[in-house]
Amino acid sequence: MSNLQIGLAIAGGVVLAAVVAHGAWNSRRNAPRQAKPEPTGTTPQTQLREPALDGDIERDTQPMSLPPVARRSAMDSLIDVIATIALDGPGMVVSGEAAIAAMPSTRRAGTKPFAIEGYNLVTLNWEVPAAGQRYGGFQAGVQLANRSGALNEIEYSEFVVKTQAFADAINATPEFPEMLEEVARARELDQFASAHDAQLGFTIRARDASWSPGYVQQNAAHLGFVAGVIPGRMVLPASTEGLAPVLVLSFDPQAALAEDPAQSAIRDIALHLDVAQVDRSEQPFVRMREVAAALAQTMDGVVTDDNGQLLNAQTMDVIGSELEILYDTLEQRDLAAGSLLARRLFA
């Protein structure tokens, strides 16, 4: 082989090696970023799970005249229609077993929560009827409004039918508020709620390389997020156990459910704040800004709105100022963000 042929062979080999190396580098560059191994002796925070929430979140308030020692009812006339149910005859008592047997099969009237409480003669508390207890009276309530809209005439009629059936079964007589007045009150409350129902969303988009689910989860866990009950969802828990999460982080659930999640490419994740559900003292918007900025910096991304427009500090400041006004308005209406009443109404 001549010197020329040897030179060409060497040059060809160098070019081939360069092509292979460039292809490998490009492949690594475009592959989803992966989670890094956790330090030995630590437990990844992503193994924690989103806490279960109580489905019936209610505030202790007093809807009617009660004995001075009685605990206030879970119902509240601010957002509930309340019907009293008086037992027929003085000194009558209904057992918890009888009350439970007479309860309707569902706890809704249309799309509105429906509840029945009994006045416990031993504990002097209003409570959901329980076996082994004795009750001297009852009351039924249906919520005036929620995110499904205002209580309407059909739902009110269903409330009346359910309550009357319960009363008939225990030999009692219900007394209902006037339907048209309550429906009008429901519409007014729904109008207020609709005008003050704020839900904020930020999107963090990858600048260059995409992210694997594990990479997203690891970085979010370092900021206090825990795995949600739904694939592709993580939550930042409230400071009080059992309350709604401060923030929700979500990404494509299909990526989380893939056979090989490490190969799933995620190019954007969403941060969500349900304003009315989170107590003002949690400083949820401040934390939302901090989380978004931290994730964008760590994961090489940018923070945008739902339409892909970059969110700068000035825009964030304006949103924060408007939220303070909203918080004040809700508090003036006795529906402070994060309160049990607000969580019921904005649900």
Side-chain angles (χ1 to χ4, degrees):
M1 182 179 293
S2 67
N3 290 339
L4 177 60
Q5 289 175 319
I6 294 174
L8 290 175
I10 293 174
V14 170
V15 171
L16 179 60
V19 170
V20 171
H22 178 75
W25 173 82
N26 211 31
S27 177
R28 287 196 302 271
R29 180 172 178 270
N30 294 324
R33 296 187 180 186
Q34 305 298 322
K36 298 178 181 178
E38 295 287 343
T40 304
T42 64
T43 301
Q45 295 187 45
T46 50
Q47 291 181 357
L48 301 174
R49 301 299 298 179
E50 176 181 2
L53 299 179
D54 186 348
D56 294 319
I57 302 170
E58 298 165 338
R59 184 181 80 171
D60 264 352
T61 50
Q62 185 167 331
M64 53 193 294
S65 297
L66 302 175
V69 292
R71 180 179 296 171
R72 293 180 175 183
S73 165
M75 301 176 195
D76 192 306
S77 58
L78 182 63
I79 68 168
D80 293 309
V81 179
I82 299 172
T84 58
I85 305 172
L87 302 181
D88 294 339
M92 282 195 64
V93 174
V94 174
S95 70
E97 288 79 2
I100 292 172
M103 294 281 279
S105 58
T106 63
R107 299 294 185 267
R108 287 191 172 271
T111 61
K112 307 302 181 292
F114 167 84
I116 292 176
E117 294 179 332
Y119 181 64
N120 190 314
L121 294 174
V122 176
T123 65
L124 305 180
N125 295 332
W126 285 98
E127 64 186 29
V128 176
Q133 305 300 315
R134 298 165 64 246
Y135 299 96
F138 295 87
Q139 58 188 11
V142 65
Q143 198 163 305
L144 286 165
N146 56 16
R147 281 176 172 158
S148 296
L151 181 77
N152 57 42
E153 289 85 350
I154 295 175
E155 290 172 325
Y156 189 94
S157 297
E158 184 177 341
F159 162 63
V160 170
V161 170
K162 286 177 179 286
T163 303
Q164 186 66 61
F166 173 82
D168 291 343
I170 61 170
N171 296 317
T173 301
E175 182 178 348
F176 299 98
E178 205 283 319
M179 181 182 72
L180 294 181
E181 292 180 1
E182 295 301 300
V183 169
R185 198 161 66 92
R187 289 171 180 160
E188 189 278 330
L189 180 62
D190 180 59
Q191 289 173 357
F192 172 84
S194 298
H196 298 86
D197 190 1
Q199 299 185 60
L200 301 179
F202 290 170
T203 299
I204 297 126
R205 303 182 187 277
R207 291 178 184 272
D208 192 4
S210 59
W211 310 310
S212 69
Y215 184 76
V216 172
Q217 291 164 347
Q218 184 178 62
N219 282 282
H222 291 162
L223 296 173
F225 284 79
V226 299
V229 296
I230 302 172
R233 170 185 163 107
M234 299 185 74
V235 300
L236 184 64
S239 56
T240 301
E241 185 177 356
L243 295 184
V246 177
L247 299 173
V248 174
L249 180 151
S250 59
F251 56 88
D252 182 7
Q254 296 300 319
L257 293 171
E259 291 186 9
D260 185 1
Q263 298 305 312
S264 297
I266 298 171
R267 296 208 60 82
D268 58 73
I269 58 179
L271 271 181
H272 180 259
L273 166 60
D274 192 337
V275 176
Q277 293 287 325
V278 183
D279 194 285
R280 188 179 194 173
S281 65
E282 296 276 9
Q283 295 188 300
F285 183 66
V286 172
R287 296 169 73 179
M288 187 179 190
R289 289 183 66 171
E290 292 173 349
V291 165
L295 289 175
Q297 180 177 6
T298 304
M299 299 167 59
D300 190 24
V302 293
V303 182
T304 74
D305 62 16
D306 293 340
N307 298 318
Q309 297 297 314
L310 291 177
L311 292 173
N312 55 36
Q314 183 178 1
T315 301
M316 298 278 199
D317 291 341
V318 171
I319 296 173
S321 298
E322 291 176 348
L323 279 182
E324 292 302 314
I325 297 173
L326 174 60
Y327 284 131
D328 291 340
T329 303
L330 291 174
E331 289 172 4
Q332 291 164 7
R333 187 68 182 252
D334 292 329
L335 291 167
S339 68
L340 299 180
L341 268 188
R343 289 159 55 199
R344 289 179 57 202
L345 177 62
F346 296 95

